[in-house]
Amino acid sequence: MWVRTRATVAGGVVLILVAVIAIWLVVRQVGDNLTLPLVARKCTVQADGRVALDADQMANAATIAAIGAKRGMPERAVVVALATAYQESGLRNLADGDRDSVGLFQQRPSQGWGTPAQIRDPRYAANRFYAALKKVRGWEKMRVTDAAQRVQRSAFPEAYQKWADDSEVLSRALMGDASGAVACTVGRTPVMHGAAAAAQLTRNLVLDWGLKGTDPTNPTGLAVTPGDQRDGWRYAHWLVSHAQDHGVKRVRFGDLEWTARGGSWDRVDGPQNPAGQVVAEVFNEG
């Protein structure tokens, strides 16, 4: 009996080892083409291509794009910034990393990028990245990975290029080149509700885009008057991108409306918002 039990255990161990080796071989074979299931990915972006992200990644991508636009950087710079953050952090605001690296771009305090607290601020980190990129002579004509590498000085200089296509899709949507391109689903328990959600949403929209005259006291949401159609979709997509962390229930621009319940943009009947405004409504308290 004891011999048979030991044989059974040994056989089980061998099977486990075979399975582990098989998985390792598959991962090594597919390499960078291996993608995670989309079950946990709550946002989809479709703009001459399709990208799926979770809520945190989407919000970070939207802020990176907004800071680039606020600084007057061309769309190509936003592509480079997004590809860099994709590679360095997976578009996540990490608390640590290689050596003393932190944040979206894994910038290092010891290399003069700022304090850890500053670098963990996505706006600060994005601003520092764009400022460094702007100093690179001829970056506009470089490949994405070459431009990123001139800023980052990575040990893997070709790594950024694999994110170029996804970053272009994100950039087209977040910079307003496509209509109804960012769609997110929001869980039943958004982070914020009511007046607090509306005030924080307004504050962060102003910080990211530098808007003037936005009313921070509206307890139900906000309304923004864009300069043109492209600006309108920039703000609308930003609002949807931040829906989970700011309790956004509904966004409408023109004859299209996104709702947290449906998670997609649909045409709506009736009069459009006054003066072509982008209107957002937040979840009520409780």
Side-chain angles (χ1 to χ4, degrees):
M1 177 66 72
W2 175 244
V3 173
R4 183 180 301 176
T5 301
R6 286 196 301 172
T8 302
V9 171
V13 170
V14 170
L15 289 174
I16 292 172
L17 287 173
V18 169
V20 169
I21 292 170
I23 292 171
W24 179 81
L25 288 173
V26 169
V27 171
R28 182 168 182 175
Q29 180 68 30
V30 299
D32 293 332
N33 294 321
L34 182 66
T35 57
L36 295 175
L38 301 183
V39 175
R41 305 205 175 178
K42 297 183 177 181
C43 297
T44 57
V45 181
Q46 300 201 54
D48 295 331
R50 184 177 184 275
V51 173
L53 300 174
D54 66 25
D56 288 340
Q57 291 174 308
M58 193 70 244
N60 289 327
T63 290
I64 290 171
I67 296 301
K70 181 181 177 182
R71 293 180 64 93
M73 299 293 286
E75 193 164 324
R76 179 69 172 176
V78 175
V79 174
V80 175
L82 288 169
T84 302
Y86 249 128
Q87 172 60 26
E88 295 291 352
S89 68
L91 288 171
R92 300 185 188 283
N93 193 14
L94 302 179
D96 52 29
D98 180 44
R99 288 172 284 190
D100 60 335
S101 300
V102 294
L104 288 169
F105 298 92
Q106 288 292 278
Q107 294 155 333
R108 298 179 60 193
S110 64
Q111 299 300 310
W113 287 98
T115 67
Q118 286 175 322
I119 297 171
R120 286 295 307 283
D121 178 349
R123 297 181 190 92
Y124 175 92
N127 269 304
R128 287 300 307 269
F129 179 85
Y130 286 120
L133 179 65
K134 192 173 182 178
K135 294 178 181 178
V136 176
R137 180 172 297 181
W139 70 265
E140 301 93 336
K141 297 180 181 179
M142 294 179 182
R143 292 188 307 154
V144 167
T145 198
D146 294 334
Q149 173 64 4
R150 291 290 295 274
V151 175
Q152 298 294 109
R153 307 293 183 183
S154 170
F156 305 96
E158 290 292 320
Y160 305 103
Q161 193 63 34
K162 65 175 174 286
W163 303 110
D165 290 344
D166 284 356
S167 297
E168 287 177 359
V169 173
L170 287 175
S171 180
R172 281 192 290 269
L174 294 171
M175 296 296 279
D177 296 330
S179 303
V182 178
C184 297
T185 58
V186 177
R188 296 182 179 180
T189 56
V191 176
M192 305 185 76
H193 299 80
Q200 188 68 15
L201 184 69
T202 302
R203 177 178 180 274
N204 287 338
L205 183 66
V206 170
L207 288 172
D208 277 12
W209 288 102
L211 300 179
K212 305 294 183 182
T214 306
D215 180 10
T217 63
N218 184 345
T220 62
L222 59 84
V224 181
T225 302
D228 55 27
Q229 187 84 356
R230 190 175 186 228
D231 280 348
W233 282 114
R234 288 179 176 187
Y235 305 148
H237 289 154
W238 184 95
L239 289 162
V240 174
S241 298
H242 285 277
Q244 180 65 41
D245 57 354
H246 286 75
V248 180
K249 180 180 180 181
R250 180 178 70 92
V251 177
R252 182 174 178 183
F253 181 52
D255 62 352
L256 291 177
E257 182 177 83
W258 168 89
T259 61
R261 181 176 182 179
S264 62
W265 288 92
D266 298 297
R267 295 199 177 276
V268 290
D269 297 325
Q272 297 187 11
N273 297 328
Q277 289 182 323
V278 181
V279 174
E281 176 187 351
V282 299
F283 282 93
N284 295 327
E285 298 283 356

